[in-house]
Amino acid sequence: MRIGDLSNDGAMPALEAMVRFAGGRQRLIAHNISNISTPNFQQVDADPAEFQQSLGRAVDRRRKSGTAGSGLSIENRAGTGVRQNADGSLTLDALAKKPSRNILFHDRNNRGIEELMSDQAENLAAFRVASDLLRSRHDLLRMAIGERV
């Protein structure tokens, strides 16, 4: 096994993809919050459930092919809001958020600060879990490489 394969082994590619998705989604949520009073503003988001399904399919394909040490290949399906670039990074395409349960104001904005704060807290929790797990994997690799087990 090459040294580069260590960072693409096990759960690390899925955790990296989850961290990238949560970071991109955080930018979308912050954009929604900053435009909460903008007339005619339509909130945007990327669907975490759809991303998790795409990530699950990518993990299943990787397991079936037996290509340990290779990165994940997330499908670039239309309507998901997530595209994987050639370098493995993710691009979140802002999809119009489904209509919220909020009242449509006279300026045609459907403000929902409570819903946005809930999305932000949920996204932060997903980011923390994925980044903590990824950090622990990197720490284990660092100890193993340094022979400090």
Side-chain angles (χ1 to χ4, degrees), residues 13-35:
L15 292 171
E16 287 175 4
M18 194 64 205
V19 166
R20 287 183 178 134
F21 175 79
R25 185 165 184 242
Q26 180 62 30
R27 285 187 288 280
L28 292 177
I29 294 170
H31 174 72
N32 290 340
I33 292 170
S34 67
N35 285 293

Side-chain angles (χ1 to χ4, degrees), residues 24-90:
R25 185 165 184 242
Q26 180 62 30
R27 285 187 288 280
L28 292 177
I29 294 170
H31 174 72
N32 290 340
I33 292 170
S34 67
N35 285 293
I36 197 143
S37 295
T38 303
N40 295 321
F41 178 73
Q42 296 297 310
Q43 295 181 12
V44 293
D45 201 357
D47 187 8
E50 181 62 39
F51 171 73
Q52 290 167 1
Q53 290 173 359
S54 295
L55 186 59
R57 287 190 295 269
V59 168
D60 289 343
R61 276 193 311 277
R62 183 173 173 226
R63 283 183 185 150
K64 287 178 184 175
S65 69
T67 55
S70 66
L72 289 176
S73 177
I74 297 173
E75 298 170 329
N76 292 335
R77 297 173 61 182
T80 62
V82 179
R83 287 182 291 121
Q84 186 174 29
N85 302 320
D87 63 354
S89 64
L90 298 177

Side-chain angles (χ1 to χ4, degrees), residues 3-20:
I3 194 80
D5 292 342
L6 290 175
S7 65
N8 284 325
D9 197 33
M12 290 179 76
L15 292 171
E16 287 175 4
M18 194 64 205
V19 166
R20 287 183 178 134

Side-chain angles (χ1 to χ4, degrees), residues 82-121:
V82 179
R83 287 182 291 121
Q84 186 174 29
N85 302 320
D87 63 354
S89 64
L90 298 177
T91 300
L92 274 63
D93 297 325
L95 297 175
K97 192 172 183 179
K98 61 183 177 277
S100 69
R101 297 178 304 265
N102 300 317
I103 297 169
L104 187 62
F105 287 82
H106 69 282
D107 61 1
R108 303 190 53 78
N109 187 332
N110 59 342
R111 295 177 187 95
I113 193 70
E114 295 86 6
E115 187 177 347
L116 287 171
M117 292 298 114
S118 174
D119 288 347
Q120 186 179 37

